[in-house]
Amino acid sequence: MHYYLNPLVNTAANHLKGSLQLKPDLPTNVAQSGCTLVAVDVIDMFTAIPHEIGIQATMESLTEDPTLPYRSNYTPHQLCLILRFLLFHNYFQFDNKFYLQITGAPMGGSHSGDYAVLTASKVIRRALHITLFSHTFFRTLVDDSLLIYDQQLTTQQTDTLTHNLNSACQQLYNSNDIQFTTEFSNTQMNYLDITIYRHNNTLLTKLFKKPTSNKLPILYSSSHYKPALLAVVKAEILRYRRLTDNDHHFNLARHTYLELCKHRGYPLNFLLGLYAWEPDPRLPCNPPTALPQTHTHPPIYLATTPHFIKMLSATVTRHKKFLNENLIRVITVPRNLPNLGQILIR
């Protein structure tokens, strides 16, 4: 099911892949009278979706997909029959007892994320369609949605909007299982990993990190490919630049991140270069060149039996661009050798 549903997720209306996609889509100008930022979240979405509502939403998405006949021999009805079987026969064992999951996306299913996204997208868009307020901007990522209204909503109006969203499911699907929580602000709103704020009738963004976030760079002393580690750090700085409109906020976020890299063992000359780097947010990030190696690696010994010598040689040849052939030592050992430690490598 994941193979058939996943292409529908990326083509769903108003679907986001991340904050980098949201940033250029934000309206540049807002009304002088103000605007209202609204964040909508589905409560316990993965476990709260009734099966019938999810199957109905999936059926509509598959029917609207013009590419389905070219990538599948199944009709939407047949795929939904398979989905129905998976949902209504999701047994699991816990504490030596067997249970049947009667609602929500199947735990551990490869299609559960796609199924939940398609359902939440359909439910949210239909619920917003029958509310009394007209929004000017709408984007959603899984169960988190962002709405922008070109007027300042009062407290009574925001309460009415929340009530209308929650009552919409009762009107549309005759179910109260799916409930929404909302957060409103006329000045700024935290959404995903950015803060959207208003400045002189313009919406700007800066980085946002939850207090519980513990996003640390990978240790430089790890066994990862060193140029790849440096490329990750440089790409993260470029991402900060793309998501931050204010230079002060960007420099503060860059300084904090590079200090973490310093404590994680990254080369000081590389970090000093990033302190002075002025990235162009319109250009792709070019990986930095590899630093000169200041130490030599010991040889790599690969032990094999005569039967597998051809297979091992082919593997080394296939990955030779990642390996230094001068460091490879291939030795053959008898098949019945009880302990490789008995071999003396000279």
Side-chain angles (χ1 to χ4, degrees), residues 61 80 97 219 332:
S61 299
C80 286
K97 295 181 180 179
L219 280 171
T332 58

Side-chain angles (χ1 to χ4, degrees), residues 39 98 141 213 244 256 289 321 324:
F98 286 92
L141 177 63
S213 176
T244 309
T256 303
T289 57
K321 65 179 180 179
N324 186 345

Side-chain angles (χ1 to χ4, degrees), residues 63 70 81 88 97 110 130 138 149-150 201 214 225 232 238 250 260-261 287 289 301 315:
T63 305
Y70 302 98
L81 288 178
F88 283 90
K97 295 181 180 179
S110 60
I130 65 175
F138 169 59
Y149 294 85
D150 58 356
N201 298 329
N214 189 23
Y225 186 50
V232 169
L238 179 60
F250 165 68
L260 291 175
C261 293
T289 57
Y301 292 98
T315 302

Side-chain angles (χ1 to χ4, degrees), residues 1 4 55 58-59 62-63 68 72-86:
M1 288 304 300
Y4 300 109
I55 294 173
T58 304
M59 181 68 178
L62 290 171
T63 305
L68 183 63
S72 172
N73 294 326
Y74 298 104
T75 65
H77 177 71
Q78 291 172 328
L79 290 174
C80 286
L81 288 178
I82 299 174
L83 178 62
R84 176 180 293 274
F85 179 84
L86 294 175

Side-chain angles (χ1 to χ4, degrees), residues 238-285:
L238 179 60
R239 177 176 164 274
Y240 287 178
R241 177 72 280 181
R242 289 172 173 170
L243 294 178
T244 309
D245 292 305
N246 185 278
D247 291 339
H248 172 70
H249 294 153
F250 165 68
N251 290 327
L252 181 61
R254 172 169 59 177
H255 174 76
T256 303
Y257 183 72
L258 292 181
E259 283 296 312
L260 291 175
C261 293
K262 177 182 176 182
H263 292 295
R264 305 289 280 183
Y266 283 77
L268 291 179
N269 60 338
F270 172 75
L271 298 179
L272 290 175
L274 290 182
Y275 270 109
W277 183 41
E278 293 298 333
D280 187 347
R282 298 170 298 177
L283 298 178
C285 177

Side-chain angles (χ1 to χ4, degrees), residues 72-135:
S72 172
N73 294 326
Y74 298 104
T75 65
H77 177 71
Q78 291 172 328
L79 290 174
C80 286
L81 288 178
I82 299 174
L83 178 62
R84 176 180 293 274
F85 179 84
L86 294 175
L87 293 175
F88 283 90
H89 296 81
N90 185 37
Y91 295 91
F92 61 95
Q93 183 180 8
F94 177 74
D95 195 20
N96 295 326
K97 295 181 180 179
F98 286 92
Y99 298 87
L100 173 65
Q101 184 176 344
I102 60 175
T103 186
M107 297 180 294
S110 60
H111 64 285
S112 296
D114 308 319
Y115 165 76
V117 169
L118 293 176
T119 305
S121 177
K122 286 286 185 181
V123 171
I124 292 174
R125 283 191 282 118
R126 285 192 169 184
L128 290 174
H129 183 70
I130 65 175
T131 57
L132 302 178
F133 305 97
S134 176
H135 55 271

Side-chain angles (χ1 to χ4, degrees), residues 42-44 47-50 53 103 123 163-180:
V42 182
I43 301 176
D44 300 329
T47 58
I49 300 176
I53 295 179
T103 186
V123 171
H163 173 75
N164 291 344
L165 285 174
N166 288 323
S167 61
C169 289
Q170 177 65 31
Q171 300 177 28
L172 293 171
Y173 304 104
N174 194 26
S175 172
N176 291 322
D177 294 322
I178 299 179
Q179 294 291 307
F180 299 95

